[in-house]
Amino acid sequence: GTVSLLAGIDLLTGEAIPLVSDTHKSSDFIEFLKILDKKYPSQDKIRIILDNHSAHTSKETKNFLATMPEGRFEFVFTPKHGSWLNMIESFFGKMTKQMLRGIRVKSKEELVSRIYRYFEEINKEPVVYHWKYKMDEINHLETIEELDVEYTPEMIAELKKKQQQGFYAGTDYKTVKEFFCRSTEMFAE
């Protein structure tokens, strides 16, 4: 069988936070939000970079968010065709290469157990992502290639691969620039 993995990376600590479920529905996303809500102090704003999956904006999700204190969660959506901008996607790629590719499991439960064990091992020595992009530099940029973002070697390899496959073709630069502005603001506060 298959499972769905929802995960996030705490940009301040490097900790990877997983939720493995049988489905990828609004109820699963809400369960992930509840995990994050319990993890962080109640006065903290939790900002999440997300793709445009329907579960992230569903009526069920909006109803759940309405029960939370105002401003508890802030969503920053990657541009259409821009999921490669989300760090968790590179993490998933690394996880696939290091742990999932070629494994054989006897049951779905064993797969789930291995995924959680991978996260436990990664979190023993979490790696903090060092963002070096500066807000005052973004306005003069003309092309996406001018973005001065510090990527890990794995992220660079993945981005180059996606560029060769034409993944950037559907992402307009203005939208990417706006995304970087919004996601960089996370570090300013």
Side-chain angles (χ1 to χ4, degrees):
T2 61
V3 295
S4 179
L5 172 62
L6 292 100
I9 298 174
D10 184 313
L11 298 178
L12 300 176
T13 66
E15 180 185 3
I17 305 154
L19 173 66
V20 181
S21 62
D22 288 330
T23 58
H24 192 87
K25 300 186 303 188
S26 298
S27 57
D28 302 307
F29 180 59
I30 290 167
E31 188 62 33
F32 184 65
L33 293 177
K34 288 177 181 178
I35 290 168
L36 297 177
D37 183 52
K38 287 179 189 169
K39 180 171 183 53
Y40 295 100
S42 61
Q43 72 276 8
D44 286 0
K45 177 183 282 193
I46 301 170
R47 291 186 179 102
I48 307 172
I49 296 175
L50 299 165
D51 60 19
N52 292 287
H53 191 281
S54 61
H56 302 152
T57 57
S58 71
K59 184 177 181 181
E60 189 177 350
T61 298
K62 288 177 183 176
N63 288 341
F64 168 75
L65 292 172
T67 69
M68 301 302 297
E70 188 173 337
R72 176 63 167 159
F73 289 99
E74 180 181 336
F75 295 165
V76 177
F77 291 95
T78 57
K80 189 173 183 181
H81 307 296
S83 61
W84 54 271
L85 293 166
N86 193 340
M87 280 179 29
I88 199 67
E89 297 299 335
S90 295
F91 180 90
F92 290 155
K94 179 181 175 184
M95 179 179 159
T96 299
K97 290 175 191 157
Q98 290 182 339
M99 193 273 283
L100 293 173
R101 187 166 285 144
I103 69 165
R104 293 177 185 257
V105 293
K106 294 180 181 172
S107 67
K108 190 185 294 188
E109 291 76 23
E110 181 184 353
L111 175 60
V112 170
S113 175
R114 284 189 183 198
I115 291 171
Y116 279 122
R117 188 170 48 232
Y118 178 81
F119 276 84
E120 288 170 11
E121 290 171 8
I122 291 291
N123 286 330
K124 285 180 184 173
E125 294 183 41
V127 177
V128 176
Y129 177 77
H130 295 285
W131 187 272
K132 67 177 190 176
Y133 202 67
K134 297 182 178 45
M135 288 300 291
D136 59 350
E137 296 174 359
I138 198 164
N139 290 326
H140 75 278
L141 298 177
E142 298 299 325
T143 66
I144 197 165
E145 286 76 20
E146 291 182 68
L147 292 172
D148 182 22
V149 179
E150 185 177 311
Y151 289 108
T152 64
E154 292 87 7
M155 291 172 78
I156 291 169
E158 189 67 24
L159 289 172
K160 285 182 179 178
K161 180 179 163 188
K162 289 184 184 297
Q163 188 173 27
Q164 290 170 349
Q165 294 171 343
F167 276 76
Y168 298 168
T171 308
D172 82 70
Y173 174 67
K174 181 177 182 248
T175 306
V176 172
K177 194 166 151 179
E178 288 170 3
F179 167 77
F180 270 108
C181 282
R182 294 227 29 234
S183 59
T184 302
E185 288 170 1
M186 291 182 178
F187 295 95
E189 295 179 4

